[in-house]
Structure formats: structure tokens, C-alpha cells
Amino acid sequence: MPYLKALLAGALVGVAYVLVRVESPAPPPVALAGLLGMLLGQAVLETL
């Protein structure tokens, strides 16, 4: 359920960016690397 909420929040922000015509704050590869790091960090903390 938390992943679904995060996905919906991200989609909502993405739609807002498109409507306001704001450029993404980070290039897509950098943003994806940051998201991967967040997921890995969460997974590590949950296993401890």
C-alpha cells in the first residue's frame, strides 16, 4: 500500500510539472539513481 501511495503522489507531481511547464529538477538518469538509492536504503533498514 505505501508503494501505491508513493506512485500516485509521484504521478500527481508529474502532472503538476507538465501543467505548469516546469523543467525536471534533475536529469532523468540522476533522478532514477536517486530513487533506486532510496529504495535500497529502505530495504536495508527494513532488514535490520
Side-chain angles (χ1 to χ4, degrees):
M1 190 69 161
Y3 289 107
L4 180 60
K5 289 179 183 178
L7 178 65
L8 292 174
L12 182 63
V13 170
V15 168
Y17 271 38
V18 170
L19 292 175
V20 180
R21 297 180 186 255
V22 174
E23 287 190 29
S24 177
V30 174
L32 289 175
L35 290 174
L36 179 61
M38 290 168 51
L39 288 174
L40 290 174
Q42 181 183 9
V44 167
L45 289 176
E46 287 179 355
T47 59
L48 295 178

